[in-house]
Short mmCIF file of all heavy atoms in Angstrom, two decimals:
data_model
loop_
_atom_site.label_atom_id
_atom_site.label_comp_id
_atom_site.label_asym_id
_atom_site.label_seq_id
_atom_site.Cartn_x
_atom_site.Cartn_y
_atom_site.Cartn_z
N PRO B 1 77.02 91.49 171.17
CA PRO B 1 76.38 90.25 170.73
C PRO B 1 74.87 90.33 170.97
O PRO B 1 74.42 90.81 172.01
CB PRO B 1 77.02 89.16 171.58
CG PRO B 1 77.77 89.84 172.67
CD PRO B 1 77.94 91.27 172.29
N VAL B 2 74.12 89.86 169.97
CA VAL B 2 72.67 89.85 170.03
C VAL B 2 72.21 88.40 169.89
O VAL B 2 72.64 87.69 168.98
CB VAL B 2 72.04 90.71 168.92
CG1 VAL B 2 70.51 90.61 168.94
CG2 VAL B 2 72.49 92.16 169.04
N ILE B 3 71.34 87.99 170.81
CA ILE B 3 70.76 86.65 170.77
C ILE B 3 69.28 86.81 170.46
O ILE B 3 68.56 87.48 171.20
CB ILE B 3 70.95 85.91 172.12
CG1 ILE B 3 72.43 85.85 172.50
CG2 ILE B 3 70.32 84.52 172.06
CD1 ILE B 3 72.69 85.40 173.93
N GLY B 4 68.85 86.20 169.37
CA GLY B 4 67.45 86.29 168.97
C GLY B 4 66.63 85.13 169.52
O GLY B 4 67.08 83.99 169.49
N VAL B 5 65.45 85.46 170.02
CA VAL B 5 64.51 84.45 170.49
C VAL B 5 63.27 84.54 169.60
O VAL B 5 62.50 85.49 169.71
CB VAL B 5 64.10 84.66 171.97
CG1 VAL B 5 63.08 83.61 172.40
CG2 VAL B 5 65.31 84.65 172.88
N PRO B 6 63.08 83.57 168.70
CA PRO B 6 61.86 83.59 167.90
C PRO B 6 60.66 83.24 168.79
O PRO B 6 60.73 82.31 169.59
CB PRO B 6 62.08 82.51 166.85
CG PRO B 6 63.37 81.85 167.16
CD PRO B 6 63.97 82.48 168.36
N VAL B 7 59.60 84.02 168.67
CA VAL B 7 58.41 83.81 169.48
C VAL B 7 57.35 83.10 168.64
O VAL B 7 57.08 83.49 167.50
CB VAL B 7 57.87 85.15 170.02
CG1 VAL B 7 56.56 84.95 170.78
CG2 VAL B 7 58.92 85.80 170.92
N LYS B 8 56.79 82.06 169.23
CA LYS B 8 55.77 81.28 168.55
C LYS B 8 54.58 82.16 168.20
O LYS B 8 54.06 82.87 169.04
CB LYS B 8 55.32 80.12 169.45
CG LYS B 8 54.43 79.12 168.78
CD LYS B 8 54.19 77.94 169.71
CE LYS B 8 53.47 76.83 168.98
NZ LYS B 8 53.37 75.63 169.81
N GLY B 9 54.19 82.09 166.95
CA GLY B 9 53.07 82.90 166.49
C GLY B 9 52.24 82.13 165.48
O GLY B 9 51.91 80.97 165.68
N MET B 10 52.00 82.77 164.37
CA MET B 10 51.08 82.23 163.37
C MET B 10 51.54 80.90 162.78
O MET B 10 50.73 80.03 162.55
CB MET B 10 50.89 83.26 162.25
CG MET B 10 50.22 84.53 162.75
SD MET B 10 50.12 85.80 161.48
CE MET B 10 49.00 85.02 160.33
N LEU B 11 52.80 80.73 162.54
CA LEU B 11 53.31 79.50 161.92
C LEU B 11 54.15 78.71 162.92
O LEU B 11 55.21 78.18 162.57
CB LEU B 11 54.12 79.84 160.67
CG LEU B 11 53.35 80.59 159.57
CD1 LEU B 11 54.28 80.98 158.43
CD2 LEU B 11 52.20 79.73 159.04
N ASP B 12 53.69 78.61 164.14
CA ASP B 12 54.38 77.91 165.23
C ASP B 12 55.80 78.44 165.46
O ASP B 12 56.66 77.72 165.95
CB ASP B 12 54.42 76.40 164.99
CG ASP B 12 53.08 75.75 165.26
OD1 ASP B 12 52.30 76.31 166.05
OD2 ASP B 12 52.82 74.67 164.70
N GLY B 13 56.04 79.68 165.11
CA GLY B 13 57.34 80.29 165.34
C GLY B 13 58.34 80.10 164.22
O GLY B 13 59.41 80.70 164.24
N MET B 14 57.99 79.28 163.24
CA MET B 14 58.91 79.07 162.12
C MET B 14 59.14 80.36 161.33
O MET B 14 60.25 80.62 160.88
CB MET B 14 58.39 77.97 161.19
CG MET B 14 58.47 76.58 161.78
SD MET B 14 60.17 76.06 162.11
CE MET B 14 60.80 75.93 160.45
N ASP B 15 58.09 81.16 161.18
CA ASP B 15 58.23 82.43 160.46
C ASP B 15 59.23 83.34 161.18
O ASP B 15 60.11 83.92 160.56
CB ASP B 15 56.87 83.11 160.29
CG ASP B 15 56.05 83.19 161.58
OD1 ASP B 15 56.33 82.45 162.54
OD2 ASP B 15 55.09 83.98 161.62
N ALA B 16 59.10 83.41 162.49
CA ALA B 16 60.01 84.25 163.27
C ALA B 16 61.43 83.69 163.23
O ALA B 16 62.40 84.43 163.06
CB ALA B 16 59.53 84.35 164.72
N MET B 17 61.55 82.37 163.39
CA MET B 17 62.88 81.76 163.39
C MET B 17 63.60 82.01 162.06
O MET B 17 64.76 82.40 162.03
CB MET B 17 62.81 80.26 163.66
CG MET B 17 64.19 79.62 163.75
SD MET B 17 64.14 77.84 163.89
CE MET B 17 63.46 77.37 162.33
N LEU B 18 62.90 81.81 160.96
CA LEU B 18 63.52 82.02 159.66
C LEU B 18 63.91 83.47 159.45
O LEU B 18 64.96 83.76 158.86
CB LEU B 18 62.59 81.53 158.54
CG LEU B 18 62.39 80.01 158.49
CD1 LEU B 18 61.30 79.66 157.49
CD2 LEU B 18 63.68 79.29 158.17
N SER B 19 63.11 84.39 159.95
CA SER B 19 63.45 85.81 159.83
C SER B 19 64.72 86.14 160.60
O SER B 19 65.53 86.94 160.17
CB SER B 19 62.30 86.68 160.36
OG SER B 19 61.18 86.56 159.53
N ILE B 20 64.88 85.51 161.77
CA ILE B 20 66.04 85.83 162.61
C ILE B 20 67.32 85.16 162.12
O ILE B 20 68.39 85.76 162.14
CB ILE B 20 65.75 85.46 164.09
CG1 ILE B 20 64.59 86.31 164.62
CG2 ILE B 20 66.99 85.67 164.95
CD1 ILE B 20 64.09 85.88 166.00
N ILE B 21 67.23 83.92 161.64
CA ILE B 21 68.46 83.23 161.26
C ILE B 21 69.00 83.63 159.89
O ILE B 21 70.14 83.35 159.58
CB ILE B 21 68.31 81.68 161.32
CG1 ILE B 21 67.29 81.18 160.31
CG2 ILE B 21 67.98 81.24 162.72
CD1 ILE B 21 67.22 79.66 160.22
N GLN B 22 68.19 84.30 159.09
CA GLN B 22 68.63 84.66 157.74
C GLN B 22 69.18 86.08 157.68
O GLN B 22 68.73 86.92 156.91
CB GLN B 22 67.46 84.51 156.76
CG GLN B 22 66.99 83.07 156.65
CD GLN B 22 65.95 82.89 155.59
OE1 GLN B 22 66.28 82.50 154.47
NE2 GLN B 22 64.71 83.19 155.92
N MET B 23 70.21 86.32 158.48
CA MET B 23 70.83 87.64 158.52
C MET B 23 71.89 87.75 157.43
O MET B 23 72.55 86.76 157.10
CB MET B 23 71.45 87.89 159.89
CG MET B 23 70.42 87.93 161.02
SD MET B 23 69.15 89.19 160.79
CE MET B 23 70.16 90.66 160.71
N PRO B 24 72.07 88.94 156.89
CA PRO B 24 73.09 89.11 155.86
C PRO B 24 74.50 89.06 156.45
O PRO B 24 74.68 89.27 157.66
CB PRO B 24 72.79 90.50 155.29
CG PRO B 24 72.09 91.22 156.40
CD PRO B 24 71.32 90.17 157.16
N PRO B 25 75.50 88.78 155.64
CA PRO B 25 76.88 88.75 156.12
C PRO B 25 77.24 90.05 156.84
O PRO B 25 76.87 91.14 156.40
CB PRO B 25 77.71 88.60 154.85
CG PRO B 25 76.77 87.97 153.87
CD PRO B 25 75.41 88.50 154.20
N GLY B 26 77.90 89.91 157.97
CA GLY B 26 78.33 91.07 158.74
C GLY B 26 77.38 91.49 159.85
O GLY B 26 77.74 92.32 160.68
N ILE B 27 76.19 90.93 159.87
CA ILE B 27 75.19 91.28 160.89
C ILE B 27 74.74 89.99 161.57
O ILE B 27 73.62 89.50 161.35
CB ILE B 27 73.97 92.02 160.28
CG1 ILE B 27 74.39 93.14 159.34
CG2 ILE B 27 73.05 92.53 161.40
CD1 ILE B 27 75.14 94.27 160.02
N PRO B 28 75.59 89.38 162.39
CA PRO B 28 75.22 88.11 163.02
C PRO B 28 74.21 88.29 164.15
O PRO B 28 74.25 89.28 164.88
CB PRO B 28 76.54 87.58 163.57
CG PRO B 28 77.33 88.82 163.87
CD PRO B 28 76.94 89.81 162.79
N VAL B 29 73.32 87.33 164.25
CA VAL B 29 72.41 87.21 165.39
C VAL B 29 72.43 85.74 165.80
O VAL B 29 72.04 84.87 165.01
CB VAL B 29 70.96 87.65 165.04
CG1 VAL B 29 70.03 87.38 166.23
CG2 VAL B 29 70.91 89.12 164.66
N ALA B 30 72.90 85.46 167.01
CA ALA B 30 72.81 84.10 167.53
C ALA B 30 71.33 83.82 167.74
O ALA B 30 70.60 84.70 168.19
CB ALA B 30 73.58 83.97 168.83
N THR B 31 70.90 82.62 167.42
CA THR B 31 69.47 82.32 167.51
C THR B 31 69.26 81.03 168.28
O THR B 31 69.94 80.04 168.03
CB THR B 31 68.84 82.20 166.11
OG1 THR B 31 69.20 83.36 165.35
CG2 THR B 31 67.34 82.10 166.19
N VAL B 32 68.32 81.07 169.22
CA VAL B 32 67.95 79.88 169.97
C VAL B 32 66.61 79.37 169.43
O VAL B 32 66.03 79.97 168.53
CB VAL B 32 67.87 80.18 171.48
CG1 VAL B 32 69.26 80.55 172.02
CG2 VAL B 32 66.87 81.27 171.79
N GLY B 33 66.14 78.29 169.99
CA GLY B 33 64.88 77.71 169.53
C GLY B 33 63.68 78.60 169.81
O GLY B 33 63.75 79.56 170.57
N VAL B 34 62.57 78.24 169.20
CA VAL B 34 61.33 78.98 169.35
C VAL B 34 60.93 79.00 170.83
O VAL B 34 60.89 77.95 171.49
CB VAL B 34 60.21 78.36 168.49
CG1 VAL B 34 58.87 79.04 168.75
CG2 VAL B 34 60.58 78.43 167.00
N ASN B 35 60.67 80.19 171.35
CA ASN B 35 60.27 80.43 172.74
C ASN B 35 61.34 80.01 173.77
O ASN B 35 61.05 79.89 174.95
CB ASN B 35 58.95 79.73 173.08
CG ASN B 35 57.75 80.42 172.49
OD1 ASN B 35 57.87 81.41 171.78
ND2 ASN B 35 56.58 79.91 172.77
N ALA B 36 62.57 79.79 173.32
CA ALA B 36 63.63 79.26 174.20
C ALA B 36 64.41 80.37 174.88
O ALA B 36 65.64 80.44 174.78
CB ALA B 36 64.55 78.34 173.41
#
């Protein structure tokens, strides 16, 4: 299991969060809030 932590950056972390939560089927990444 992989847990992704989006790090606040240029777009307040939204860019990172969207990159992490939009995984293709079969490659899950649990994602928490920005900097969480």
Side-chain angles (χ1 to χ4, degrees):
V2 176
I3 304 168
V5 179
V7 176
K8 189 173 188 173
M10 297 175 66
L11 301 175
D12 284 335
M14 289 297 293
D15 48 343
M17 183 186 65
L18 292 172
S19 293
I20 297 171
I21 64 173
Q22 296 186 97
M23 296 302 300
I27 313 296
V29 174
T31 309
V32 295
V34 174
N35 285 2

